[in-house]
Amino acid sequence: MPKNRMEAFSDGVLAIIITIMVLELHTPKDFTFEAIKEVFPTFFAYILSYLYVGIYWNNHHHLISTLEKVSGKILWLNLHWLFWMSLLPVTTSWLGAHLFKTAPTFMYGFVLFMCAISYYLLQNAILDTHEEYSLIKQLFERDLKAKISITSYLLSALLAFVAPIASYILLFCITLLWIIPDTRIEKIYK
């Protein structure tokens, strides 16, 4: 299959995910600044999730640009990643409705953990399509940033049981780690 079909499908799914998330945002019930406090938790959760979707979309685009064609394995791994991404609107909404509560915080962190695991598997499958000593494989050889993220997402999910606020702080820190796009691929494929 040509890679552009998988990329277009993925772009469509991610656009729908963002659309569903934004539909959960509601205007304050009053016209005062005080009324903003009611919707702030949902807005905060939306911003965090929007950043995550944007980061994944950006990195997915760069990763797919390295492919010549798509195998069945890559298609299934891409679908696996999109499945976990598709759960973000539900967990974002729950998190926004119940800020700093254990169960929503755990589920949000767990879904992000699974997004990271599934993306890492997809990334490795795509890297396997390249020659053994290619520059791109060398750039991603240790991929410390991804491993730190995966570990941090798991830790943020587990922290929800003892200190949900610490979980939020860790999730925000992971966002800061990735907010600057991963340019390793751009350096090779200009």
Side-chain angles (χ1 to χ4, degrees), residues 11-152:
D11 287 350
V13 171
L14 295 176
I16 291 168
I17 288 168
I18 287 175
T19 302
I20 292 169
M21 287 188 320
V22 80
L23 290 174
E24 288 295 319
L25 293 178
H26 302 288
T27 58
K29 293 179 182 169
D30 201 359
F31 56 86
T32 64
F33 289 112
E34 188 69 25
I36 294 172
K37 289 181 183 177
E38 291 176 21
V39 296
F40 180 75
T42 305
F43 187 63
F44 172 77
Y46 171 76
I47 290 171
L48 194 59
S49 294
Y50 185 90
L51 288 171
Y52 280 124
V53 173
I55 289 164
Y56 273 117
W57 175 77
N58 192 343
N59 289 330
H60 187 262
H61 167 72
H62 287 116
L63 189 62
I64 298 304
S65 71
T66 72
L67 276 173
E68 294 292 323
K69 60 183 179 174
V70 177
S71 67
K73 178 181 180 180
I74 289 172
L75 280 175
W76 281 108
L77 287 170
N78 193 67
L79 284 170
H80 179 232
W81 169 66
L82 288 172
F83 168 77
W84 289 105
M85 292 294 291
S86 73
L87 295 177
L88 269 178
V90 174
T91 56
T92 300
S93 178
W94 197 23
L95 186 72
H98 306 284
L99 207 58
F100 305 122
K101 301 298 180 198
T102 299
T105 305
F106 168 78
M107 287 308 297
Y108 188 77
F110 179 75
V111 166
L112 287 172
F113 168 70
M114 291 307 298
C115 287
I117 289 285
S118 58
Y119 188 83
Y120 187 72
L121 294 172
L122 173 63
Q123 175 182 287
N124 285 340
I126 290 173
L127 291 174
D128 284 346
T129 67
H130 295 276
E131 294 178 17
E132 189 173 346
Y133 297 104
S134 65
L135 185 55
I136 191 160
K137 278 195 168 183
Q138 291 174 24
L139 288 174
F140 282 88
E141 189 173 32
R142 291 193 322 223
D143 205 3
L144 191 58
K145 197 171 173 180
K147 290 174 183 167
I148 288 170
S149 297
I150 290 168
T151 305
S152 297

